[in-house]
Amino acid sequence: MTVTPLGATEIRRLAAELDVTPTKKLGQNFVVDANTVRKIVQAADVQPGERVVEIGPGLGSLTLAILETGASVTAVEIDHRLAARLPRTAAEHGVSDGALTVVDADAMTVTELPGDPAVLVANLPYNVSVPVLLHFLETFPGLQRGVVMVQAEVAERLAAKPGSKIYGAPSVKAAWYGPWRLTGTVSRQVFWPVPNVDSLLVGFVRDETPRGDDDERRRTFTIVDAAFNQRRKMLRQALSGLFGGSAAASAVLEAAGVAPTDRGEDLTVDDYHRIARVGG
């Protein structure tokens, strides 16, 4: 039996059945266009037989598009009503037994994923997108690549390079795991309700070799936060609190090959990593 997509009429019917009202305030927007969810799956290059984790499947439109490829899905859903209904929706649309596993939980607290998925695909609400992505990348080293749909501003920040105005702590922390790039645009009109912000697709590929261990990552991220909390200041000032004064900070920076007069937005993730290693 072929997996069939969810249509706009059925999505609204399901929402009414479950008494689910998407709200702009919480960044909840259901995609009601089958071509759009297929576009996301195509951007993620999902292949038959792969195991995909989807965060926040909602009513299941993106879930079915992933399953349509012959991949299997572990779906993490915080809303108990949606989590309970999703397997039935999948079965009604031709999904075979065992292809879908639903985890009824807050994605920020999940530490184990059935099936050890290697691909991440999601439509993420803007207010949790960065913390959720960083949590999954940190917690599940088996995730090798992924594509997510997020608010355009968030996507641009994740993919930003050093020297740009939108380059910030999320850019550096995301780059710790590997390169990110924008992979597509999404019309506001494919959502219900229509959001007040634009959305983009952004994708990542994890580096084959980890950049550093957990201790190094934590130290690096602490330095990143300090640098961008005072992004207008030179690094010798912004990091003075971490290293016991601006003179000590300057010494660490110089030993790491970074100019003390640089600012946070000038540095790559490798620069921050070297500072963490030198600074202990």
Side-chain angles (χ1 to χ4, degrees), residues 28-223:
Q28 295 172 317
N29 305 92
F30 295 129
V31 180
V32 294
D33 177 64
N35 288 330
T36 297
V37 289
R38 285 171 173 152
K39 175 181 177 180
I40 298 170
V41 173
Q42 185 176 20
D45 193 28
V46 176
Q47 298 297 315
E50 287 190 309
R51 188 82 187 193
V52 177
V53 61
E54 181 189 3
I55 304 168
L59 295 170
S61 56
L62 179 56
T63 315
L64 291 174
I66 300 168
L67 291 163
E68 189 179 32
T69 68
S72 56
V73 174
T74 298
V76 182
E77 176 55 61
I78 191 173
D79 189 311
H80 304 311
R81 298 166 298 173
L82 298 173
R85 183 62 167 85
L86 189 56
R88 188 172 133 207
T89 301
E92 291 169 351
H93 284 260
V95 176
S96 58
D97 290 343
L100 171 65
T101 303
V102 179
V103 178
D104 185 347
D106 180 348
M108 284 298 296
T109 66
V110 170
T111 56
E112 294 182 3
L113 289 174
D116 297 322
V119 186
L120 170 64
V121 179
N123 167 23
L124 294 174
Y126 66 86
N127 53 340
V128 298
S129 51
V130 171
V132 165
L133 284 170
L134 293 177
H135 170 68
F136 267 63
L137 286 165
E138 172 191 338
T139 309
F140 305 111
L143 290 175
Q144 297 305 306
R145 70 180 195 279
V147 168
V148 295
M149 179 165 59
V150 292
Q151 182 180 346
E153 180 184 342
V154 174
E156 289 167 348
R157 195 173 297 155
L158 286 167
K161 305 304 179 191
S164 66
K165 291 182 179 180
I166 57 173
Y167 183 73
S171 318
V172 183
K173 292 177 181 180
W176 174 270
Y177 302 99
W180 292 69
R181 64 185 180 89
L182 300 178
T183 61
T185 59
V186 182
S187 167
R188 295 185 186 191
Q189 303 307 314
V190 303
F191 294 99
W192 170 59
V194 177
N196 295 323
V197 296
D198 292 318
S199 297
L200 290 173
L201 303 181
V202 62
F204 72 90
V205 176
R206 189 186 289 266
D207 289 335
E208 289 187 13
T209 304
R211 192 173 299 278
D213 60 26
D214 281 344
D215 285 339
E216 288 182 0
R217 178 186 54 77
R218 282 190 284 269
R219 290 200 303 271
T220 301
F221 284 14
T222 298
I223 292 166

